[in-house]
Amino acid sequence: MNQSVISSERVEGTSVYNNAGDKLGSIDDLMIDKVSGKVQYAVMEFGGFLGMGTDRYPIPWSMLKYDTSLDGYRVPIDKTKLEAAPKYPEDRIPDYDVTYTGRINDYYGMQ
């Protein structure tokens, strides 16, 4: 049976790959719109060593496509583009207000 929903607990920790198949990081958190209930961003851990010193990169949820052959998500982002993307340290979660989400969406070319 193919299910169209998944627990956020199962999404967190899932690997994220670019289109070349390189592992970029893993999903740390999901940001959900309070009004619509829809996931807006997957927050990916990237960088650091053994989970220490990693930054968090919010990626628009609509950019992620699940790839069963990888048992993870694919995004059309290379490491160079990701390194320059909006990010924050784990202990300094920004307010996902209109300004910040606009910055993320502009960076990834989302409307």
Side-chain angles (χ1 to χ4, degrees):
M1 176 181 356
N2 185 5
Q3 296 181 354
S4 63
V5 298
I6 187 170
S7 165
S8 63
E9 186 175 274
R10 295 206 46 200
V11 174
E12 293 168 4
T14 302
S15 296
V16 178
Y17 301 88
N18 63 17
N19 285 336
D22 302 320
K23 183 177 177 184
L24 298 175
S26 61
I27 296 176
D28 179 62
D29 206 354
L30 299 175
M31 302 307 282
I32 302 167
D33 182 274
K34 286 191 253 183
V35 177
S36 71
K38 294 181 179 179
V39 175
Q40 296 297 308
Y41 303 97
V43 182
M44 187 181 73
E45 287 184 313
F46 173 70
F49 179 70
L50 298 176
M52 295 172 49
T54 56
D55 286 318
R56 303 309 189 259
Y57 294 76
I59 300 171
W61 181 250
S62 62
M63 292 182 72
L64 284 85
K65 304 297 180 222
Y66 192 75
D67 185 326
T68 56
S69 68
L70 292 172
D71 197 25
Y73 292 94
R74 279 194 188 263
V75 291
I77 304 168
D78 62 27
K79 287 184 181 182
T80 304
K81 183 164 179 84
L82 183 61
E83 288 170 349
K87 64 183 177 187
Y88 55 88
E90 179 182 22
D91 61 347
R92 290 193 213 127
I93 300 171
D95 290 331
Y96 277 74
D97 58 15
V98 173
T99 302
Y100 189 69
T101 58
R103 193 170 138 222
I104 296 166
N105 294 341
D106 286 347
Y107 185 80
Y108 291 110
M110 307 301 286
Q111 296 298 330

